[in-house]
Every structure is written in C-alpha cells, then in structure tokens.
Amino acid sequence: AQWLPDAVASVQAQTEQDFEVLIFDDGSTDDTRNVALGLANQDPRIVVTHSDYNEGGGMAFSKMIPKAKGGFILPFAADDILRTTYIERALAEFAAYPTALMVACHPSFIDKDGNDYANMGDPRMHIPMPTNMPREQFLERLKIGNLYFGVGMYRKNCFDLVGMYDNNLQWLSDWDYYIRILKQADIRVIEEKLCKYRLHDNALSLITEDKLVRQAQYVRTVRRRHYTPTTRKIVIATPFYMGLCF
C-alpha cells in the first residue's frame, strides 16, 4: 500500500491519457485494498479487483487480461514509477514496428524513499540493459542470462500467441517470457530510462541466500526449455571431464 499512490499517480500524469488502470489486490495483508479503492473513487478509469489469498503475480496478471478493454497491456508493479512520456513513446514504437509484440525501456533505480539507489554492491544494479538487435541475436544473448528490460508494454494478442507467464519460474518468469516472444515475433527497446524501479529488501527480484538453490533450478529449466544443450570440456585438477553447460 505504501507506494501504490505514487505508481498510480505516475500513470495519471502520462502525456497519453487514453488508458484504464486495473489494480489487482493479490491477497494483501496490509491496507492495499482500501488504498486502491480510495484511488478508484477519485478516478473512474481505475478498477479494483481482489483475491482473498495470494495467487502469485503471474496468476493475478492472467486474471486481469480478459478484463482489459484496450489493445495494449502494461504490467506495472505497485512499487515502480513511469516517466510521463512512457505510454506515448511505447505506442509510437508499436506503430513504427508492427512485428513487435513487446516494447520495453531502460530503468533507473530508486530506493524505498524514492531517492536514487546508490548501492553498487547490489547485483541487481549490474544486470545488463538490452539494446535493439535482430531477433536471432536477441535469442543468443538471452541464452547467457536475463536482461533488464524495464517496464514492458505488450500487444494484447501477445498472450493469445505466446501464452501466459510461467508462474513456476517466479522471479525468472520474465526471462522465459522474453525468449518465448522472440521465437515468434520482435521485441523493441526504447533505449532511454523511462521508468523507475524501486529496489528494496522485500522486492521479489532480490536474490537472498535462501533463494540460490531455486535460482539455479529456474536457470536450468529456462535454458533446457529453449536451447539445445551442448557439451564442453572443463578442467578439474588435471583430468578432463565432459559436462553439460546447462
């Protein structure tokens, strides 16, 4: 609930004003539902839906898509912020590139208080940001690992063509989804910082020690799902061993 008003305000301040805001309260235990309903009372473009229990981000998102009236979908976390021209710029990119199913941007980072995030020891600060490249090159680059695509907007029919996020992959479901899109269509990147990601201790993206085993499992799942395993020789002491790269 703490950051929801700021997130919604950043949407309301967009230069493109033809939008609706669908808020899904995914079984929150704080005051999120009341805050969301208060925002909806002030703006008829805001619609609030809630679940009595936490279903996970991917499942919540899949329930909201059928409710959307427009032709474009913008998944947006309640702790993030859009810069004022994001929607306008993303729609222009879709118009210029009709083969793209997704348009993303580069993020900047803020802390829980909205100040510039300055902890360079946080590994999330060092995830590479994407640049525009041919689809095949994109797929090869994503084989190495995920990229920071920032906030992404999708054509609504993307979810008919590609399907939904794999909720079983948790914080790496986006990586899997980017690859699935690129197998069928293009992704365009606005190579400018048009959103702000809030990095804090409760963020799903924070990889703590207890998540490391699951992180490795998710990485193996994504790579085996989308790429042909190869074998390489690796040196351990003096003998040679054959090992799977993933």
Side-chain angles (χ1 to χ4, degrees):
Q2 177 181 358
W3 299 303
L4 181 59
D6 288 343
V8 171
S10 76
V11 178
Q12 292 170 317
Q14 291 293 300
T15 53
E16 171 57 65
Q17 284 287 301
D18 185 12
F19 60 77
E20 59 179 342
V21 178
L22 306 180
I23 298 176
F24 190 90
D25 174 18
D26 191 21
S28 64
T29 56
D30 60 6
D31 201 34
T32 295
R33 186 179 177 188
N34 289 332
V35 171
L37 290 172
L39 294 169
N41 287 335
Q42 299 170 24
D43 190 335
R45 296 173 297 182
I46 299 174
V47 178
V48 180
T49 306
H50 78 280
S51 172
D52 292 329
Y53 59 94
N54 184 277
E55 302 183 59
M59 185 63 68
F61 180 55
S62 68
K63 287 189 171 183
M64 298 304 288
I65 289 178
K67 299 178 183 292
K69 299 173 184 176
F72 298 91
I73 305 289
L74 172 59
F76 188 47
D79 51 0
D80 296 332
I81 294 174
L82 292 179
R83 296 194 183 273
T84 56
T85 60
Y86 175 82
I87 294 178
E88 179 184 358
R89 296 284 303 279
L91 291 175
E93 198 76 6
F94 276 121
Y97 296 92
T99 61
L101 286 179
M102 173 186 171
V103 170
C105 68
H106 289 177
S108 56
F109 302 100
I110 56 176
D111 62 19
K112 62 183 179 62
D113 299 316
N115 302 313
D116 290 342
Y117 191 76
N119 180 12
M120 296 307 295
D122 188 329
R124 293 173 294 181
M125 293 284 286
H126 303 286
I127 298 174
M129 296 185 192
T131 57
N132 288 301
M133 61 185 76
R135 191 190 311 175
E136 294 76 13
Q137 189 176 341
F138 243 142
L139 284 167
E140 280 302 306
R141 175 57 187 83
L142 285 169
K143 182 178 180 179
I144 300 171
N146 206 358
L147 298 169
Y148 242 138
F149 278 87
V151 171
M153 182 185 289
Y154 303 82
R155 295 187 193 273
K156 190 176 182 181
N157 69 342
C158 176
F159 304 100
D160 296 323
L161 297 170
V162 180
M164 296 303 304
Y165 288 98
D166 182 351
N167 207 36
N168 293 322
L169 293 172
Q170 295 285 305
W171 55 89
L172 287 184
S173 62
D174 59 343
W175 179 30
D176 172 72
Y177 203 70
Y178 303 147
I179 297 170
R180 286 160 58 195
I181 290 175
L182 286 164
K183 285 182 171 182
Q184 300 191 44
D186 294 317
I187 293 176
R188 290 294 301 175
V189 181
I190 302 172
E191 297 175 20
E192 298 176 35
K193 295 179 179 180
L194 296 182
C195 68
K196 297 180 182 181
Y197 270 179
R198 198 182 301 267
L199 301 182
H200 53 88
D201 292 343
N202 294 323
L204 183 64
S205 60
L206 180 63
I207 306 302
T208 52
E209 187 173 350
D210 62 301
K211 289 182 177 180
L212 289 176
V213 172
R214 283 184 291 159
Q215 170 87 352
Q217 292 171 343
Y218 299 154
V219 168
R220 285 195 296 270
T221 297
V222 172
R223 286 178 171 163
R224 286 171 175 167
R225 177 179 292 175
H226 298 295
Y227 299 101
T228 303
T230 57
T231 56
R232 295 178 183 172
K233 290 182 177 180
I234 56 174
V235 179
I236 301 178
T238 53
F240 283 91
Y241 294 88
M242 295 298 295
L244 288 176
C245 293
F246 49 85

